[in-house]
Amino acid sequence: MQIGMIGLGRMGANMARRLAQGGVQVVGFDRDPAGRAALAQEGVIKPADSLAALVAALAAPRLVWTMLPAGAPTEQTIIDLRALLARGDLIIDGANGYFADSQRHARELAESGIGFVDVGVSGGIWGLADGYGLMIGGEPADVARVEPIARILAPAPDAGWLHCGPAGAGHYVKMVHNGIEYGLMQAYAEGFALMQSREDLQLDIAKIAQSWCHGTVIRSWLLDLTAEFLKQDSTLANVEPYVADSGEGRWTALEAIQRGIPTPVMNLALIARFASQGKDDFAAKLLAKMRQGFGGHAIREKPKS
């Protein structure tokens, strides 16, 4: 079996490795020639130095998997591929795309006789060894063509992947998955912070995390990961309190608002990430000045340099 892979960052490269281990010939293209060369030297991919070269190296009907950032990079690549591919070919968007964009891509590509499947991928850096959770959207006939690939990438051939519905459904389910992930992470973070604050109780949060991994109702893979890094460093003194957001959490919050579905935990977890990025700093300054204004409360001023 043969597939084209566009976007060989960490996730794309590891997926290409897993596919190669499963006997799939991967023709790979990335704008970074060093990345292509390294994977080619590993024997993971047959390198292509352009989209046109990638398409030319694939036998029809072609499968082309993209792993690119949502927005302009994915949009332009799909436009370029539409001009290069032929009727009966299939594009798979495996990155974190916005579901409405995926619905539009499916409609537009269908006009040229090109299929489209969106795949939400979960598994992070552990996917190479443990397999990836795959949430797939698309027409049944198109998804059937992707199934052999899904069986290799998933944790097991019959587990960890699902045809969720029509085009857009895969990325929609992955969007909600990431919203839930935000909420879970925030709950763990708040709980451990609360325990860390009680110096009088001399709580060993690393040992508590390890203990909770066994038999408790809040055990999870996220807790396993937390227990592992707390065992190495329970103070996190050298870690900046900054948490990025990839965009999926924002899409989840907007969708919930548009549909009138209350999702307070996921929304507040997203807001907490904004706060960590310093986006509430000016508001906090205003609050301090307001307290000073009505109650004469002292404010903390930055030391003069």
Side-chain angles (χ1 to χ4, degrees):
M1 189 172 183
Q2 190 183 43
I3 191 169
M5 178 76 74
I6 301 169
L8 299 170
R10 183 166 61 178
M11 178 80 89
N14 279 345
M15 292 176 71
R17 290 184 178 99
R18 191 169 174 94
L19 289 172
Q21 291 170 2
V24 178
Q25 183 190 53
V26 181
V27 181
F29 170 71
D30 191 275
R31 295 178 63 182
D32 176 17
R36 296 199 307 265
L39 287 172
Q41 190 171 15
E42 283 184 43
V44 171
I45 66 166
K46 176 181 177 182
D49 59 9
S50 67
L51 290 181
L54 179 140
V55 170
L58 296 171
R62 303 169 185 87
L63 294 178
V64 179
W65 188 303
T66 66
M67 287 295 292
L68 299 168
T74 294
E75 290 290 334
Q76 189 58 54
T77 299
I78 289 178
I79 290 171
D80 294 342
L81 284 173
R82 184 177 181 181
L84 293 167
L85 296 174
R87 298 185 70 85
D89 291 341
L90 177 64
I91 295 175
I92 307 156
D93 182 1
N96 283 338
Y98 184 48
F99 76 94
D101 291 338
S102 297
Q103 292 175 318
R104 173 172 53 81
H105 291 150
R107 292 192 301 269
E108 293 173 349
L109 290 167
E111 296 172 1
S112 300
I114 299 170
F116 179 84
V117 168
D118 53 288
V119 182
V121 181
S122 182
I125 60 175
W126 301 92
L128 175 59
D130 299 339
Y132 298 92
L134 305 175
M135 295 143 264
I136 306 173
E139 293 299 315
D142 291 334
V143 174
R145 293 176 60 187
V146 177
E147 181 175 334
I149 299 295
R151 288 177 172 273
I152 295 170
L153 290 173
D158 58 350
W161 67 275
L162 178 69
H163 180 195
C164 299
H171 281 160
Y172 189 91
V173 173
K174 178 57 163 50
M175 176 187 75
V176 176
H177 163 285
N178 279 29
I180 294 170
E181 177 186 293
Y182 278 35
L184 289 172
M185 292 172 69
Q186 187 67 28
Y188 281 129
E190 292 175 7
F192 282 105
L194 188 59
M195 289 188 290
Q196 180 79 345
S197 73
R198 286 302 302 258
E199 295 181 6
D200 59 312
L201 295 180
Q202 301 178 15
L203 300 175
D204 187 329
I205 62 171
K207 289 184 178 179
I208 291 167
Q210 290 284 348
S211 175
W212 280 355
C213 290
H214 306 282
T216 72
V217 296
I218 61 168
R219 65 189 185 273
S220 71
W221 184 48
L222 277 173
L223 183 58
D224 292 341
L225 295 173
T226 302
E228 184 60 32
F229 68 68
L230 286 176
K231 183 170 66 175
Q232 304 300 323
D233 175 14
S234 64
T235 67
L236 308 180
N238 294 323
V239 179
E240 285 290 330
Y242 180 99
V243 187
D245 67 290
S246 64
E248 294 264 17
R250 301 186 190 204
W251 295 338
T252 308
L254 290 171
E255 173 70 3
I257 291 168
Q258 289 171 353
R259 301 198 66 79
I261 302 296
T263 56
V265 171
M266 292 190 288
N267 289 4
L268 288 173
L270 174 64
I271 299 304
R273 294 197 180 198
F274 293 163
S276 81
Q277 297 163 18
K279 293 175 182 176
D280 68 341
D281 287 359
F282 189 73
K285 292 176 182 180
L286 282 172
L287 288 171
K289 291 297 291 183
M290 282 187 272
R291 288 186 76 246
Q292 183 187 47
F294 68 71
H297 301 287
I299 60 172
R300 295 185 183 183
E301 295 185 352
K302 288 185 177 180
K304 296 179 180 179
S305 57

